[in-house]
Amino acid sequence: MQNRIDQIHAELVRVYETAVATLKADIAAYVEHGTLPPPERRSQREWTYPELTVRYAGNEREAVYGRAFGRLVETGTYATTITRPHLFADYLKEQLTLLDAEYEIEIEVGRSDQEIPFPYVLDGIGVGTATPQQLAAHFPSTELAMIGDEIADGLMIFAENDPKPLALFDGLRTDFSLARLAHYTGTSPDHCQKFILFTNYHRYVDEFVDWAGTQIGQDGFTALAGAGGLYLDEPTDNARARLSDTAWRRHQMPAYHLVREDKSGITLVNIGVGPSNAKTITDHLAVLRPEAWLMIGHCGGLRETQRIGDFVLAHAYLRDDKVLDPVLPPEIPLPAIAEVQQALAEAAEIVSGDSGANLKKRMRTGTVVTTDDRNWELRYTASAHRFSLSRAIAIEMESATISAQGYRFRVPYGTLLCVSDKPLHGELKLPGQANRFYEEAIAGHLKIGLHACALLRAEGDSLHSRKLRAFDEPPFR
């Protein structure tokens, strides 16, 4: 069986690389000599993504019904286009192996009708004086009307004889995000790992890079890659000294990756402040199908009993961020993912050394308000009743957006925040106080997030909750 899946993947690679090589060669001939591409390129679909098709007639081998993915609930034909099959090799092989083991299926690879836009193959090709408009006149270009999240959002309408979607994202949508990831994070998507931590303060980057530098060669970690050209493959103390001072200026949301060969390492992304950034980065990271993403930022404590440095484990969210309202209305509940909640709570207990009542003194669970207004304090009287009704215990600007995106894209999510100020109770984040807080709290908070990732890695398939699956879900995770 595995040999069959390997052969199918090899054919995906062959079809994709042949199409890319053909498109690159045709662009080079046009740029260098003005040679127009042969007219049959389009009619013979020589510039197109490979299409992966699965046909299911209804015969099961031994289906596992408890798993949240890798299931065929209806007979018929399922299909998707594929890009970068080398990058997604483990993912594609895993998904196909699960389906092939449990259902009698036919699997086919061929050329699709979906053309590869020329901007996605330009690496290493000089375009000389040719303008994008000139290239678009003769080669496939990016048609935004063809790129979207209709499958993930349940908005795609199919004709009766159309194939059902095999995956949430097709080749076009994936290539769009891979290009954006490189732009925003300053790193190659090849380095992104399956467990992702989001933060909103650069000081977490310093702590993460220092810790990650010492982990190379341990627990399967092989390298540390990051924005600004950071790459370490030997254990390194004080790795923050290797960071580029310009990375944060050149890249909007710089990323740092502690790499394992099976990609089950940890990626840290400094997303900055605000729900717009949170949506932007998760829109693009979702195509990599991570195992989980967690927010480990700071928040304002809303309760008198909270202290600076206390933790907040979000069980629910009051979504005042607004950025996702058109695609995920705020009245749609975001369920807490039990495996993630338990991992964060256990990690907090282990790292802090507290348990039971002592841990409860430092970590509260409850509702977090995510707002799109950084100066929400100036309008507190307009929001106080709403906050009180929600029983909120903290307020910040990213967590609900990240969790809502996890819900949309079927990526397990969670939030562990650290109270950095209590604006309603006279404890403001003034410069001197902020620095003392950062020095004392950041290292411990980051360790909790890192330990939670290790616990989640051990969960395996059980991490993926059926709570996140829609009524008519594509088979691939």
Side-chain angles (χ1 to χ4, degrees), residues 63-83:
V64 178
Y65 293 102
R67 190 176 54 242
F69 58 91
R71 296 178 58 200
L72 295 170
V73 297
E74 293 184 8
T75 60
T77 300
Y78 299 79
T80 189
T81 53
I82 301 293
T83 189

Side-chain angles (χ1 to χ4, degrees), residues 16 27 63 114 132 137 159 167 179 199 203 211 213 217 235 245 275 289 293 296 313 319 339 371 430 457:
Y16 174 75
I27 293 172
Q114 194 177 73
T199 189
R203 285 179 171 89
W211 174 81
D245 290 337
R289 308 315 299 143
W293 56 41
I296 55 166
L313 178 57
R319 290 176 50 202
E339 292 80 4
T371 178
L430 301 175
R457 188 194 307 149

Side-chain angles (χ1 to χ4, degrees), residues 103-166:
Y103 305 92
E104 293 182 13
I105 57 175
E106 297 176 10
I107 307 174
E108 179 183 308
V109 175
R111 294 175 180 174
S112 73
D113 294 326
Q114 194 177 73
E115 292 183 326
I116 303 171
F118 74 84
Y120 302 146
V121 304
L122 288 182
D123 284 351
I125 300 179
V127 296
T129 60
T131 67
Q133 291 78 13
Q134 289 172 326
L135 292 174
H138 304 289
F139 301 99
S141 59
T142 305
E143 297 286 347
L144 293 180
M146 304 299 294
I147 302 173
D149 291 321
E150 287 82 3
I151 295 175
D153 290 329
L155 300 175
M156 185 69 78
I157 298 175
F158 298 93
E160 184 177 350
N161 295 323
D162 285 346
K164 302 176 180 68
L166 185 61

Side-chain angles (χ1 to χ4, degrees), residues 66-69 71 151-154 168 286 289-294 317 328 332-340 402-414 461-477:
R67 190 176 54 242
F69 58 91
R71 296 178 58 200
I151 295 175
D153 290 329
L168 291 175
R289 308 315 299 143
E291 300 284 355
W293 56 41
L294 311 175
Y317 303 91
L328 189 67
I332 301 299
L334 303 180
I337 308 301
E339 292 80 4
V340 177
I402 287 169
S403 296
Q405 288 282 78
Y407 180 85
R408 282 182 72 207
F409 297 135
R410 290 71 158 175
V411 178
Y413 51 85
D461 290 350
S462 64
L463 172 60
H464 296 277
S465 173
R466 285 177 288 178
K467 295 176 186 176
L468 299 183
R469 291 185 66 85
F471 292 166
D472 189 12
E473 190 77 2
F476 278 13
R477 177 176 66 77

